[in-house]
Amino acid sequence: MEHMNTARPRPIRCKAAVSKAAGQPLEMEEVEVAPPRAHEVRIKILCTSLCHTDLTFWRMKDFPAMYPSILGHEAVGVVESVGDHVEEVAVGDTVVPVFLAQCGECADCLSARSNICSALPPNAATGMPRDGTTRFSLAATGEPVHNFIAVSSFAEYTVVDVAHVVKVGAALPPEKACLLSCGVATGVGAAWKVAAVEAGSTVAVFGLGAVGLAVAQGSKMRGAKRIIGVDLNPDKFDIGKRMGITEFVNPNDSGDKTVSEVIKEMTAGGADYCFECVGSAPVMAEAFRSSRMGWGKTIVLGMDGNAAPISISSIDIMRGRSVVGSLLGGIKPKDDIPVLAQKCLDKELELDEFITHQIGFHEINSAFQLLAQGKSLRCIIWMPGAKEMEENAA
């Protein structure tokens, strides 16, 4: 494997965990990673983690699934080389790649009302954002390997458009910086920016995975008085308490009552803010029904794998309730992720509880099993030698 240098970038051969069929174990392959083209950055991944979005796409048999491909989008790494017209990061910078772009020039990037870049909008296409081609190929055959939502972090090296790269600095440990590139940023951002949770308010969080617990922590930071956690797994309740959850509802224990009926009784009318973090259209509707008439706001953060419609009453909409969706919790990556990183350094945002497992890259398939079984929040997957290097530096 080639080391970082400042000479004209050349192709690099490295290991990648390649997805070759829906729902099947990833296969460790040697791949060739092409040099970065204009506006692109090649990153040496230090560690990556597994998000439910990876799990969802890994299971997909239909479009946009394409094989072979390299999944992964929550990671941290070091810039190995840059292409032409890249000025905001340099070789050696510690960065996080993010699936959502921020070009900084389009109408959406310049507006406080949106975090969805219109110049490089998110899509499920398996290619680089500007030209649709891939920078990966199988070393043995030259067969192209598709990339994944602009990141593809299940490889020792990856190439990412600079609009998808955020400089975070080396002060924050890699395993924590990694979490800010998707899950934690989504949850905290949703509480801060999309809902703008008010002090003294009541919040209901549906799904206590990493995103849901980040919502709880963000709501607590905003001064929410009551934070109700809804989950089928009672094992999530203890960690939920440590993250800010004040009360719990297990749908299996509610008898003949729906979750919305239980929450309305608990809150004398419904929660001020409801967050759906599961990715299920029926749960989205139930979260909406759990919100308060007059001003209840429901924020949808989960992705329904079947893109199913949500069934809600038009009368309830007329009575003041609202529902809104959000990508990455409404945050603008280059503006807001450094702010979250500083909050971590200042101990305002705690990330230790999210990291339930740490494994080596060769064990990556076990991370899929842990997440699918609900046994992990975030499993940190270390690239060869990266963890030892970090421990020696400490």
Side-chain angles (χ1 to χ4, degrees):
M1 195 185 309
E2 297 181 31
H3 297 287
M4 287 181 284
N5 60 77
T6 55
R8 192 69 181 174
R10 295 180 294 168
I12 286 178
R13 290 194 171 191
C14 67
K15 293 295 184 181
V18 180
S19 177
K20 295 185 177 181
Q24 296 301 306
L26 306 186
E27 296 183 25
M28 203 61 69
E29 294 274 6
E30 184 177 42
V31 297
E32 184 166 286
V33 186
R37 298 182 185 178
H39 306 287
E40 295 176 359
V41 178
R42 190 160 61 187
I43 302 168
K44 179 177 182 179
I45 299 295
L46 297 176
C47 63
T48 183
S49 58
L50 185 65
C51 171
H52 267 285
T53 301
D54 298 307
L55 200 63
T56 298
F57 276 83
W58 172 67
R59 289 169 169 162
M60 283 183 179
K61 295 182 180 179
D62 301 317
F63 182 85
M66 294 184 71
Y67 303 99
S69 63
I70 299 174
L71 301 174
H73 66 285
E74 198 171 83
V76 64
V78 177
V79 175
E80 177 272 338
S81 57
V82 301
D84 293 337
H85 311 301
V86 173
E87 298 178 353
E88 62 185 89
V89 295
V91 172
D93 286 344
T94 300
V95 298
V96 294
V98 186
F99 76 91
L100 204 60
Q102 185 180 352
C103 75
E105 299 176 351
C106 69
D108 289 80
C109 286
L110 294 174
S111 171
R113 294 176 293 179
S114 173
N115 71 328
I116 300 178
C117 177
S118 51
L120 298 170
N123 63 68
T126 54
M128 297 297 291
R130 296 177 196 260
D131 64 14
T133 61
T134 180
R135 302 293 171 265
F136 297 106
S137 60
L138 294 176
T141 64
E143 179 185 0
V145 179
H146 302 289
N147 75 337
F148 175 65
I149 55 174
V151 177
S152 289
S153 61
F154 293 166
E156 291 179 279
Y157 287 83
T158 189
V159 177
V160 181
D161 192 283
V162 69
H164 291 263
V165 174
V166 179
K167 183 176 177 180
V168 293
L172 191 64
E175 67 272 22
K176 296 183 180 180
C178 173
L179 303 183
L180 298 180
S181 60
C182 184
V184 171
T186 296
V188 174
W192 279 73
K193 303 200 72 171
V194 184
V197 170
E198 298 166 323
S201 59
T202 298
V203 170
V205 183
F206 289 72
L208 300 181
V211 172
L213 291 172
V215 167
Q217 189 167 170
S219 298
K220 181 181 178 181
M221 293 166 67
R222 292 281 298 185
K225 184 178 181 180
R226 300 176 69 184
I227 304 174
I228 302 167
V230 182
D231 203 287
L232 292 167
N233 185 354
D235 294 338
K236 297 287 183 71
F237 293 172
D238 285 339
I239 189 171
K241 290 179 181 178
R242 298 194 294 272
M243 304 289 275
I245 300 290
T246 59
E247 301 152 79
F248 298 92
V249 174
N250 186 331
N252 289 334
D253 299 333
S254 60
D256 295 333
K257 296 179 180 178
T258 64
V259 171
S260 59
E261 289 171 338
V262 172
I263 290 178
K264 286 177 182 177
E265 288 181 4
M266 293 172 65
T267 59
D272 301 313
Y273 301 99
C274 293
F275 295 85
E276 197 280 343
C277 309
V278 176
S280 164
V283 177
M284 296 171 192
E286 191 65 10
F288 176 80
R289 288 190 286 267
S290 301
S291 65
R292 187 177 187 85
M293 187 187 304
W295 63 73
K297 186 173 186 177
T298 299
I299 298 90
V300 174
L301 300 176
M303 182 183 74
D304 187 292
N306 297 316
I310 306 173
S311 179
I312 56 179
S313 168
S314 59
I315 296 297
D316 287 338
I317 292 287
M318 292 177 66
R319 291 176 177 173
R321 290 169 168 167
S322 63
V323 59
V324 62
S326 173
L327 283 176
L328 201 62
I331 73 167
K332 291 180 179 288
K334 294 178 186 290
D335 295 343
D336 297 324
I337 289 179
V339 174
L340 294 178
Q342 188 59 51
K343 287 185 180 295
C344 294
L345 293 172
D346 294 340
K347 306 298 183 183
E348 295 178 41
L349 178 60
E350 296 291 341
L351 298 180
D352 291 336
E353 294 280 5
F354 290 98
I355 303 172
T356 54
H357 299 79
Q358 299 193 52
I359 61 174
F361 189 33
H362 65 286
E363 302 172 287
I364 189 169
N365 284 305
S366 66
F368 280 78
Q369 296 171 9
L370 288 166
L371 190 60
Q373 295 167 4
K375 295 181 179 179
S376 73
L377 291 176
R378 279 297 185 266
C379 181
I380 301 298
I381 303 162
W382 289 93
M383 294 298 164
K387 193 169 193 285
E388 293 77 11
M389 182 177 67
E390 179 64 20
E391 290 172 347
N392 293 334

